[in-house]
Amino acid sequence: MTAIPFNKPFMTGRELDYIREAVESGKISGNGLFTRRCHELMRRRFDFHATLLTSSCTDALEMAAILAGIGPGDEVIMPSYTFVSTANAFVLRGARIVFADSEPGTPNMDCRQVEALITARTRAIVPVHYAGVACDMDPLLELARQHDLLLIEDAAQAIDAYYKGRPLGGIGALGAFSFHETKNIISGEGGMLTVNEPSLSARAEIVWEKGTNRSAFWRGEVDKYGWVDIGSSFLPSDITAAFLYAQLEQLDAIQQQRRLLWERYRAALAPLGEQERVRLPHVPDYASNNAHMFYLVCRNLDERTGLIDHLKSQGIHAVFHYLSLHRSPYYAPHHDGRELPWCDHYADTLVRLPLFHELSLEQVDRIAAAIHDFYG
Ligand SMILES: *Cc1c(COP(=O)(O)O)cnc(C)c1O
């Protein structure tokens, strides 16, 4: 019986052709031919106002924190059940993070709790679309409007996912995607910032290019370029963009295969869900499913440990996910002490099953059989 890894990066087959083309073009630094092709493809496909490739989603979030004008003492509201970069990007600018709990039905931030966390110092709300399943954005948009806050979407896992038909990453003023090799569309390391608030796009381009107006210079809009703002080297090499373009071209085929596997998991495990022995992923009516992840929620930590060990004994690599950020060694001393029980619950009980392009339906069946076997 061959082992089943948790993830295996998928190559469409055109990556090396495009990298060769980039190399032979003689220009492999950032903002080259393939970077522009990726920008254009994403803008057309999802109707984003502006897009900027970055070296990672972490970089895109750091750009968002700069563009939001976050400074020392400002407060930013976000879920505790997320990756460190969501919070770190704002902590780097001196912000205090106000963590919200997850909702009972999904690991997403409980949007109904957000209003009570808003103070005079709140500047931004950062929803994270966990597993590519949309947060309930309408109430957040309303709060952002009422309190004049910036909405920044951590859409790292949310490519080709929708909220009431609107593409995620295109709803808040800013959005951040990841192309890390564990995501649906990959470039090894990589990310993208979407700028949906037109008044931020000129500055976004400057922050992206180390605080210079070099992009405007390349377009012939200014006759020399210089240091006009803060920024960093957020843009990836065109070699990375070439790899990414080969992936984006195949977005539909990649998504179709992931959905097929996801649906197979759901069908095979539905009986366990109906018997309430384990919880299956919940996709609310307002959200679509981009099949980024298939997870289960066990009843408690011991059961999850037992399930992971059982699967491991069958050569199947399943993994847990985030540890609550409000309890992390770095942030716990700064947290305001509120209990976030649903976040802790997901930290203890959520397990992610293997899901990657080359996983076969037979392998999904084998994994599902092993899970049925565990629950006897
Ligand atoms: C993957 C991920 C990130 C970080 O993405 P990188 O491209 O690795 O920087 C941030 N937030 C969430 C929710 C993620 O899943």
Side-chain angles (χ1 to χ4, degrees):
M1 222 161 35
T2 52
I4 304 177
F6 171 66
N7 183 53
K8 179 167 183 251
F10 172 63
M11 312 293 159
T12 66
R14 298 299 300 276
E15 287 83 355
L16 291 175
D17 294 338
Y18 290 154
I19 287 173
R20 172 178 294 277
E21 196 182 325
V23 170
E24 288 177 349
S25 81
K27 184 179 185 306
I28 52 173
S29 59
N31 203 8
L33 178 67
F34 282 98
T35 299
R36 289 194 293 273
R37 281 186 186 163
C38 291
H39 287 172
E40 173 101 348
L41 188 153
M42 290 296 276
R43 267 203 316 269
R44 282 227 185 112
R45 167 91 193 215
F46 298 109
D47 222 16
F48 297 136
H49 172 70
T51 51
L52 290 170
L53 292 192
T54 54
S55 300
S56 62
C57 179
T58 301
D59 267 1
L61 289 162
E62 288 177 20
M63 280 185 72
I66 292 172
L67 292 167
I70 303 294
D74 289 341
E75 294 178 359
V76 178
I77 299 171
M78 67 178 64
S80 176
Y81 193 73
T82 184
F83 189 59
V84 290
S85 294
T86 320
N88 212 9
F90 296 89
V91 168
L92 279 169
R93 311 236 55 86
R96 208 172 78 73
I97 308 299
V98 178
F99 287 114
D101 203 2
S102 295
E103 50 184 14
T106 80
N108 281 339
M109 177 164 79
D110 191 339
C111 298
R112 293 163 310 175
Q113 289 189 15
V114 169
E115 185 162 22
L117 302 176
I118 295 173
T119 71
R121 315 192 80 161
T122 308
R123 297 292 300 279
I125 305 174
V126 188
V128 179
H129 306 296
Y130 187 78
V133 173
C135 295
D136 193 1
M137 295 300 285
D138 278 341
L140 292 184
L141 284 162
E142 183 56 23
L143 285 177
R145 200 187 55 78
Q146 278 173 9
H147 299 268
D148 196 21
L149 308 174
L150 219 55
L151 208 55
I152 300 166
E153 298 175 73
D154 182 338
Q157 305 173 11
I159 193 164
D160 193 33
Y162 299 81
Y163 172 74
K164 299 184 181 175
R166 299 177 64 186
L168 301 186
I171 300 173
L174 299 161
F177 288 92
S178 175
F179 305 119
H180 184 264
E181 74 168 25
T182 51
K183 306 299 203 274
N184 291 26
I185 296 292
I186 64 174
S187 60
E189 303 283 350
M192 188 182 77
L193 180 78
T194 52
V195 185
N196 308 305
E197 169 52 53
S199 66
L200 294 175
S201 57
R203 188 170 185 226
E205 207 175 56
I206 288 166
V207 170
W208 188 58
E209 276 273 30
K210 302 118 183 144
T212 73
N213 53 353
R214 181 151 70 172
S215 298
F217 173 72
W218 283 124
R219 286 195 299 268
E221 294 166 14
V222 292
D223 54 13
K224 50 180 169 297
Y225 80 86
W227 188 13
V228 296
D229 203 336
I230 60 166
S232 189
S233 185
F234 288 118
L235 70 180
S237 133
D238 219 48
I239 296 175
T240 299
F243 188 107
L244 180 64
Y245 190 66
Q247 295 263 317
L248 288 174
E249 271 188 336
Q250 294 296 317
L251 176 65
D252 288 322
I254 290 170
Q255 294 296 81
Q256 191 183 1
Q257 182 62 15
R258 292 189 77 97
R259 288 199 182 95
L260 183 74
L261 296 166
W262 198 98
E263 290 298 342
R264 183 79 154 210
Y265 266 127
R266 181 160 69 178
L269 296 169
L272 290 175
E274 281 152 21
Q275 294 158 23
E276 295 183 11
R277 314 199 58 181
V278 72
R279 257 169 64 197
L280 271 47
H282 172 60
V283 182
D285 288 341
Y286 52 70
S288 70
N289 175 25
N290 73 347
H292 172 59
M293 184 194 299
F294 198 94
Y295 66 82
L296 298 174
V297 182
C298 299
R299 281 171 292 203
N300 54 55
L301 177 59
D302 287 344
E303 186 178 293
R304 183 182 71 178
T305 306
L307 177 59
I308 290 175
D309 290 347
H310 175 73
L311 292 174
K312 199 178 200 175
S313 75
Q314 315 266 312
I316 298 162
H317 191 205
V319 294
F320 55 85
H321 211 181
Y322 305 128
L323 302 172
S324 306
L325 290 184
H326 71 287
R327 289 175 176 264
S328 61
Y330 177 67
Y331 215 80
H334 306 289
H335 179 60
D336 56 26
R338 279 172 303 115
E339 298 278 333
L340 304 175
W342 282 105
C343 173
D344 292 339
H345 179 69
Y346 291 113
D348 284 348
T349 61
L350 188 146
V351 53
R352 297 177 289 160
L353 303 180
L355 180 56
F356 51 89
H357 195 91
E358 286 163 69
L359 188 70
S360 68
L361 292 171
E362 291 68 32
Q363 285 176 314
V364 172
D365 293 343
R366 191 181 122 200
I367 296 163
I371 295 166
H372 278 281
D373 181 39
F374 175 76
Y375 283 101

